[in-house]
């Protein structure tokens, strides 16, 4: 019989022996054959796919969803599971899946993970797997735009992997992108490839963007612009409206558009928001800019008499014409009747440098700073590069390129007592309980006295001047018509038939709340803003006033 001491020593020697065997084996695996097994482990983890879930949603000013998430499926295959790759591709075609050349090449050559079709219905994915057993799918998320084309150039869109690419989706990608999820393809013990998802509990990101856009007004205006652009036989119509106190953009609409659910079917020019990117010479809607300068910097007497030369005036060898043959007009009537000759003569006393400085302060030739619209800055050449005709041309809205957004914020400044506002299209950004609200950015560009005087004259333009077709029996409107020639870039000269017809103003005239601009590109029934844009303006102003509950005009209040 072994003694107690002998048994203990025996087991101790056995343990030491096995420890030595294991140590030698580990040394062999990790040091001598480490590279081999590292490569083997790498082969087992074929591919890591990163996706994001729980993308933040986008809402209009009333809380109506503009961009939401939906559950979709993405179909994939592991090349090593395919016994007959040619037959597999034929089976895909028979089930309605046409593959690109590059994807076919991956199927033929890769033993690893290959996407077959992304972002399809879950039922469609199940049916595909049923018909083609080698296929598998994973459930992810992608974007859904429930109103299709409505406000699409504002919202933008996301790509295949649900990343923001355009508009607010692109501008606020860091806020909206959601939670990172990793899918890893692995080989099991039998060599079969599987897809593993990291399902560990994580703190969910909650984010959203609330816009200033009103979807009802946006949709209504888009519809009216399409109707009237067709009636006026215009290339397109554009309209933008701003709250004169806050700079909030209520709508930024056009007669064009695209469906962000299928954005690749459209050209890049269709994606752009025309309120922020349509460049044009404003024509006579720019005359109030010149008039505000005269009022504020030169204390212009609105009763000063101006000889309008019976409609023809030659300056620097160039003949300026008025639509109507006016003789003597007061400075006020120069604006009411929209005399080119009158405004040129009134600005004859100004210094080029001072006039240029005012136009720059008023926001022309620079981006407004609005977030998410990809805006153009327009064109305002330095006074150092002006010719003798530049100052006269600028005074009546030529030799300058503007966007509707730049024009609407100038008219908002007239309406609010002289403050130029930075347009806001985002009301609130929220992430994980932290909310940021952009501040109202106000820059004084004219005195309240000058703004009030100009506002009263613009109301008179609608009552008895060139803007009579904007006159409403429901709401008092103040504003100005405009007709600007379009430049033909192919010919290198102004077009003889293409004009930008516009109306810019605000309402209610005696207690302004909303500034708005309507522009038509190359209308054929009439080139004049008073015959085209003014009509659309009135319709939109009436609908918006009724919807927003704005003050009705004095005539209606007495009925």
């Amino acid at each position: 019989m072994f003694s107690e001491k002998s048994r203990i020593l025996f087991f101790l020697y056995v343990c030491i022996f096995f420890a030595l065997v294991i140590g030698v084996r580990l040394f062999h695996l990790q040091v001598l054959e480490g590279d081999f097994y590292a490569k083997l482990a790498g082969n087992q983890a074929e591919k890591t796919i990163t996706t994001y879930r729980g993308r933040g949603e986008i809402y209009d000013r009333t809380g109506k969803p503009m961009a939401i998430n939906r559950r979709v499926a993405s179909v994939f295959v592991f090349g090593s599971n395919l016994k007959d790759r040619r037959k597999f591709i034929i089976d895909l075609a028979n089930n309605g899946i046409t593959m690109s050349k590059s994807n076919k090449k991956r199927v033929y050559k890769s033993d690893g993970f290959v996407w077959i079709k992304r972002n399809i219905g879950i039922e469609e994915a199940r049916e595909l797997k049923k018909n083609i057993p080698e296929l598998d799918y994973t459930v992810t998320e992608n974007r859904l735009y429930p109103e299709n084309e409505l406000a699409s150039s504002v919202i933008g869109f996301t790509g295949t992997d649900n990343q923001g690419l355009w508009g607010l989706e692109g501008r606020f990608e860091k806020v909206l992108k959601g939670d990172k999820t990793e899918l890893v393809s692995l080989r099991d013990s039998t060599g079969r490839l599987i897809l593993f998802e990291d399902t560990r509990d994580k703190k969910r990101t909650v984010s959203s963007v609330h816009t200033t856009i009103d979807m009802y007004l946006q949709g209504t205006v888009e519809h009216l612009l399409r109707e009237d652009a067709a009636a006026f036989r215009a290339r397109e119509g554009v309209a933008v409206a701003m709250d004169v106190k806050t700079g909030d953009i209520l709508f930024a609409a056009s007669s064009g558009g695209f469906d962000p659910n299928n954005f690749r079917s459209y050209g890049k020019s269709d994606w752009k928001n025309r309120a922020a990117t349509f460049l044009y010479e404003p024509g006579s809607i720019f005359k109030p800019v010149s008039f505000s300068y005269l009022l504020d910097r030169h204390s212009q007497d609105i009763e000063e008499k101006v000889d309008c030369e019976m409609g023809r005036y030659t300056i620097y060898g160039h003949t300026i014409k008025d639509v109507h043959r006016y003789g003597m007009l007061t400075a006020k009537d120069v604006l009411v009747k929209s005399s080119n000759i009158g405004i040129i003569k009134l600005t004859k006393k100004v210094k080029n440098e001072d006039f240029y400085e005012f136009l720059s302060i008023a926001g022309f030739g620079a981006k407004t700073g609005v977030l998410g619209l990809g805006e153009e800055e327009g064109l305002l050449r330095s006074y150092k590069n002006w010719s003798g005709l530049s100052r006269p041309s600028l005074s009546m809205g030529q030799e300058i390129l503007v966007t509707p957004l730049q024009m609407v914020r100038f008219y908002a400044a007239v309406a609010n007592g002289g403050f130029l506002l930075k347009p806001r299209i985002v009301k609130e950004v929220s992430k994980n309980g932290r909310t940021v609200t952009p501040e109202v950015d106000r820059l004084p560009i004219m005195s309240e006295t000058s703004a009030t005087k100009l506002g009263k004259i613009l109301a008179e333009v609608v009552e008895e001047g060139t803007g009579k077709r904007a006159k409403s029996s429901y709401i008092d409107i103040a504003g100005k018509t405009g007709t600007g020639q379009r430049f033909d870039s192919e010919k290198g000269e102004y077009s003889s038939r293409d004009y930008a017809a516009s109306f810019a103003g605000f309402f209610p005239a005696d207690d302004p709340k909303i500034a708005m601009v309507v522009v038509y590109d190359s209308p054929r029934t009439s080139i004049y803003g008073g015959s085209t844009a003014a009509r659309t303006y009135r319709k939109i102003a009436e609908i918006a006033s009724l919807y927003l509950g704005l003050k009705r005009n004095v005539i209606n209040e007495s009925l």
Side-chain angles (χ1 to χ4, degrees), residues 247-295:
D248 288 353
I249 302 297
L250 296 179
F251 55 81
S254 73
S255 57
F258 68 98
D259 183 353
N261 295 300
N262 190 28
F263 68 90
R264 289 186 179 85
S265 298
Y266 299 81
K268 287 186 178 181
S269 61
D270 296 320
W271 303 346
K272 294 180 179 180
N273 185 277
R274 304 301 281 157
T277 61
F278 178 61
L279 290 172
Y280 66 108
E281 286 195 354
S284 293
I285 62 168
F286 200 77
K287 286 174 183 170
V289 180
S290 303
F291 210 85
S292 67
Y293 166 78
L294 292 170
L295 288 171

Side-chain angles (χ1 to χ4, degrees), residues 22 51 79 82 153 176 201 211 251 279 286 331 370 392 415 499 550:
I22 292 170
T51 64
L82 297 175
S153 62
L176 295 170
D201 290 338
T211 74
F251 55 81
L279 290 172
F286 200 77
V370 66
Y499 290 79
L550 302 185

Side-chain angles (χ1 to χ4, degrees), residues 130-148:
K130 179 181 174 183
N131 296 338
I132 309 174
E134 298 95 334
L135 286 177
D136 211 332
Y137 66 90
T138 181
V139 176
T140 57
E141 285 183 355
N142 81 337
R143 216 52 159 166
L144 173 66
Y145 303 98
E147 300 296 336
N148 300 318

Side-chain angles (χ1 to χ4, degrees), residues 374-401:
E375 62 178 331
E376 296 283 352
E377 64 182 16
L379 175 65
L380 173 62
R381 293 184 300 118
S382 168
Y383 69 93
K384 295 176 182 179
N385 299 320
W386 289 4
S387 68
L389 276 172
S390 293
R391 190 265 310 149
S393 296
L394 281 164
S395 71
M396 58 181 181
Q398 296 177 359
E399 279 198 32
I400 186 171
L401 292 177

